[in-house]
Amino acid sequence: MSKQVSPLALVELGADAPCCAPLAQRRVPAETAAVLAPAFKALGDPVRLQLLSMIASAEGGEACVCDLTPAFELTGPTISHHLKALREAGLVDAERRGTWVYYRARPAVLRQLAALLTVESTPA
């Protein structure tokens, strides 16, 4: 299985700089689409979307896998698989502390994805 490019490369352009113009304003270049697609694909799964939401909204900005797993009727290995997909897509960072792994959302990447989806209202 080939590894896809992750949005990590976009963050290096500048944490607050949008990666590109909103897609409603201009066509997304092929290279940019290739970098962003894995993140959108990861978010296309309902469990991953919920996990990211739980992590991003967690007190202190991070969540322990020990707190995430009980929220689902899924096995620990299945949750780990989904968290790995979020990590590989560049949406979260992970840090092992003893037995547990703590996850933190990557706000700069989320801002870049949000900027791409921004739809500006047009004057009436």
Side-chain angles (χ1 to χ4, degrees):
M1 180 159 111
S2 67
K3 295 211 175 200
Q4 296 179 335
V5 181
S6 94
L8 298 174
L10 293 176
V11 175
E12 294 170 5
L13 296 175
D16 293 320
C19 68
C20 44
L23 56 81
Q25 291 179 3
R26 189 169 57 218
R27 179 178 176 224
V28 177
E31 301 80 23
T32 302
V35 171
L36 293 173
F40 283 114
K41 182 177 180 181
L43 292 174
D45 183 282
V47 171
R48 293 181 196 148
L49 186 58
Q50 288 180 294
L51 284 167
L52 182 59
S53 175
M54 291 173 69
I55 294 165
S57 65
E59 186 175 326
E62 66 181 11
C64 176
V65 69
C66 60
D67 295 323
L68 298 171
T69 304
F72 299 91
E73 292 184 12
L74 299 170
T75 64
T78 300
I79 295 297
S80 292
H81 164 77
H82 287 298
L83 290 167
K84 179 181 177 185
L86 291 173
R87 200 173 59 250
E88 287 178 347
L91 296 167
V92 297
D93 286 324
E95 178 185 346
R96 180 171 291 282
R97 297 183 200 155
T99 305
W100 302 112
V101 178
Y102 288 79
Y103 292 88
R104 179 176 294 277
R106 300 192 63 211
V109 173
L110 298 179
R111 279 192 295 275
Q112 290 174 341
L113 296 176
L116 181 69
L117 296 176
T118 299
V119 177
E120 309 239 346
S121 59
T122 56

